């Protein structure tokens, strides 16, 4: 389940040691905003590719960007003022357009104990910038092909692909999440 372009990153992940290198990975600590970039090339993607950000409820919005806190110890969860963030809340919309992601729910931050399995968020050493990954090297996210306007709050899903759908499904964009620290200790 890995794309060609992610293979070097996978190797880097095996060598990853928290905080031991001064690259993008070391910035994925403490508090930050999650900016949504319409670029999946980890070598070039930057804030210049920004099309929106994630709000306190874990939705894709234009500029109501929440401050997220990453738990630096295991299980390395993300949370906002609303609560913990998860892809496991069954009340969130399914990604019905995706062949492999049709059973997956959009991201959610809020109250409730939804997690059936550990959901940790990390980045990968070797990435120039701290792109947010989860699960088994999922560093890409799936959104509808829409730039939110003021007041829109849109779903964001994990990106799934496979032999019958080798890239993002029609009508959606594959994006990166960039962690932008808001303060440093
Ligand atoms: C987002 O990326 C897709 C795929 O490269 C492109 O077709 C689309 O025009 C981009 N949209 C914006 C708003 O940049
Ligand atoms: C949020 O996640 C942390 C870490 O797993 C946990 O200690 C805390 O109880 C969770 N909070 C809620 C409201 O579930």
């Amino acid at each position: 389940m890995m794309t060609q372009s992610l293979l070097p990153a996978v190797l880097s992940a095996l060598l990853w040691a928290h905080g031991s290198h001064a690259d993008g990975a070391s910035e994925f600590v403490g508090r930050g905003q999650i900016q949504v970039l319409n670029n999946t090339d980890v070598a070039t993607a930057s804030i210049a590719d920004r099309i929106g950000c994630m709000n306190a409820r874990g939705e894709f919005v234009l500029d109501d960007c929440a401050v997220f806190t990453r738990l630096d110890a295991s299980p390395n969860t993300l949370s906002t003022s609303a609560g913990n963030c998860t892809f496991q809340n069954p009340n969130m919309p399914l990604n019905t357009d995706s062949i492999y992601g049709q059973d997956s729910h959009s991201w959610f931050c809020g109250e409730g104990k939804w997690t059936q399995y550990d959901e940790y968020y990390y980045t990968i050493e070797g990435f120039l910038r701290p792109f947010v990954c989860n699960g088994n090297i999922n560093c890409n996210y799936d959104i509808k092909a829409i730039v939110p306007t003021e007041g829109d709050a849109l779903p964001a899903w994990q990106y799934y692909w496979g032999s019958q759908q080798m890239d993002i499904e029609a009508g959606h964009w594959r994006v990166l999440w960039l962690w932008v620290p808001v303060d440093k200790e």
Side-chain angles (χ1 to χ4, degrees), residues 47-152:
I47 195 72
D49 301 306
R50 177 192 191 278
I51 52 171
C53 62
M54 303 306 288
N55 74 5
R57 295 187 51 77
E59 298 159 319
F60 174 43
V61 294
L62 181 62
D63 56 18
D64 181 22
C65 310
V67 173
F68 292 80
T69 300
R70 182 182 186 242
L71 194 63
D72 290 331
S74 178
N76 301 121
T77 48
L78 286 176
S79 62
T80 65
S81 56
N84 285 334
C85 301
T86 179
F87 285 104
Q88 298 177 57
N89 181 345
N91 302 317
M92 299 308 287
L94 291 166
N95 191 3
T96 51
D97 295 341
S98 166
I99 293 176
Y100 296 97
Q102 60 184 276
D103 297 327
S104 63
H105 297 275
S106 66
W107 212 38
F108 167 82
C109 303
E111 296 289 317
K113 192 86 187 111
W114 306 108
T115 49
Q116 306 297 310
Y117 53 87
D118 276 350
E119 198 171 316
Y120 57 98
Y121 294 85
Y122 59 95
T123 190
I124 290 177
E125 189 211 322
F127 282 179
L128 193 59
R129 301 191 169 87
F131 302 117
V132 179
C133 305
N134 71 92
N136 184 19
I137 322 195
N138 301 324
C139 309
N140 286 184
Y141 299 87
D142 174 329
I143 57 170
K144 288 184 178 164
I146 301 167
V147 175
T149 55
E150 196 72 53
D152 283 346

Side-chain angles (χ1 to χ4, degrees), residues 15-36:
L15 303 170
W16 186 73
H18 177 76
S20 66
H21 286 73
D23 65 7
S26 63
E27 288 179 30
F28 192 36
V29 293
R31 288 158 24 101
Q33 293 185 334
I34 296 177
Q35 300 293 338
V36 175

Side-chain angles (χ1 to χ4, degrees), residues 37-40 49-51 145-147 168 172-175:
L37 309 185
N38 193 29
N39 184 346
T40 54
D49 301 306
R50 177 192 191 278
I51 52 171
I146 301 167
V147 175
I168 193 74
H172 288 230
W173 291 331
R174 187 152 67 92
V175 295

